[in-house]
Amino acid sequence: MLRLCILLGISLFFFFEIQGQEHYRVVSYNVENFFDTKPDTLTQDRDFTPGGRLHWNTERYTAKLLKIAGVIEAVGEGDFPAFVGLCEVENRKVLSDLVSKTQLAEADYGIVHQDSPDPRGIDVALLYRKKYFRVLKEVFLPVALSGEKKSYSRDVLQVTGILQGQDSLFRDTLHFFVCHFPSMSGGEAESEWKREKAALVVKNRVDTLLKYSPNTALLILGDLNGKANRPAQAFVLHTLSSDSRQIENSRLYNTGYYLLHRNKGSYKYKGQWQTIDHILVSGNLLNGQCRLQAGRRLQVFAPLFLLEEDKTYYGYKPFRTYSGPRYVGGYSDHLPLYLDLFFRKF
């Protein structure tokens, strides 16, 4: 009971602290196979072409483009999110179309992206509103996988920049890591080593940052293809729950850990909701010791328009673009997550 009261008090403190303050919404969204219609001879994208198995054409691409833009606008709840980490985008073109040919043009987003060595040609990217964030450095970290032949997963994207508040007194350096860890293909336990490899790439980079600057503020977001207590997070990244009573500056905290044993999340598999998409933050974004702070718990954005009836397992599931090879015209098989940052007034 005492622990519950403490956690409630902390939550109320941050709730009232953020009220009336300028906030910066961070969104993480796996948009599921966001391809253009042109074939790429270097990747396995033929299904997503007009002559391919899925008959992916300009009309369907445009519909997907507008739907994803609509989701990003909606999750902003009255204002466009400051940051959007995306997974499963094919190339720079789809990102350029997204931020310039839809309602997102109003938000004036910048793009950080690079084609990765993923065989399917799907990458991660970060969109940022230029009026809030100035990019200082972008790094694309390769994720090498061992096996019978050397292969690579999606790059991990690291972006460093200055977050600038409307009040010129409030600014801070911020590091983003946008990730899409290897899938669970072949079995969750059997493929965990691949996600551990990807997590180690992130961990080594985070450790380097913290070694030279213990108060480094950072966020790790994306589709980590595993729950919060799986080895890649628990043992490699050493993440803890953001509801922990003591928050250490140099530790990483999972702001969605509270969803672990709930039938709620960003992804549904065989009738069970789970959260395999995550937003992790450094401890100094939670413990009140720095000017820049983060909400203690991420939120899953799940309006009814992003859902459809689950006729096999009952309830609802994400409304995706294809059901097998059949085009149904939805959004994605994942739901977006979001977390707010704000400058605390001392």
Side-chain angles (χ1 to χ4, degrees), residues 268 271 273 307-317:
K268 196 175 188 184
W273 283 102
L307 303 170
E308 65 174 339
E309 183 183 359
D310 188 341
K311 296 179 180 179
T312 302
Y313 296 102
Y314 305 106
Y316 292 91
K317 63 181 180 180

Side-chain angles (χ1 to χ4, degrees), residues 47-114:
D47 283 350
F48 287 91
T49 59
R53 181 176 65 93
L54 299 176
H55 307 291
W56 188 243
N57 56 32
T58 300
E59 181 181 357
R60 293 179 177 183
Y61 169 69
T62 302
K64 176 97 171 182
L65 183 73
L66 295 174
K67 281 182 166 66
I68 297 304
V71 174
I72 292 172
E73 180 182 25
V75 77
E77 296 181 313
D79 191 15
F80 294 103
F83 303 95
V84 184
L86 296 172
C87 297
E88 295 200 21
V89 296
E90 184 184 17
N91 51 35
R92 186 84 175 200
K93 179 186 184 305
V94 302
L95 294 165
S96 296
D97 287 348
L98 183 65
V99 303
S100 66
K101 296 182 178 181
T102 71
Q103 63 267 44
L104 299 189
E106 183 182 342
D108 192 25
Y109 280 111
I111 300 171
V112 183
H113 165 268
Q114 175 178 282

Side-chain angles (χ1 to χ4, degrees), residues 247-308:
I247 303 292
E248 302 175 32
N249 279 7
S250 60
R251 295 295 297 268
L252 296 175
Y253 294 86
N254 190 320
T255 59
Y257 206 99
Y258 74 100
L259 294 169
L260 185 59
H261 300 295
R262 298 188 185 185
N263 192 28
K264 178 183 178 182
S266 62
Y267 185 77
K268 196 175 188 184
Y269 179 69
K270 291 186 176 180
Q272 293 296 315
W273 283 102
Q274 53 187 285
T275 300
I276 60 175
D277 305 274
H278 301 274
I279 301 179
L280 317 178
V281 301
S282 53
N284 58 359
L285 288 176
L286 297 174
N287 60 15
Q289 295 184 15
C290 293
R291 193 164 42 194
L292 184 63
Q293 292 291 286
R296 192 163 284 263
R297 290 182 169 186
L298 63 76
Q299 300 298 318
V300 179
F301 187 65
L304 284 177
F305 72 84
L306 286 181
L307 303 170
E308 65 174 339

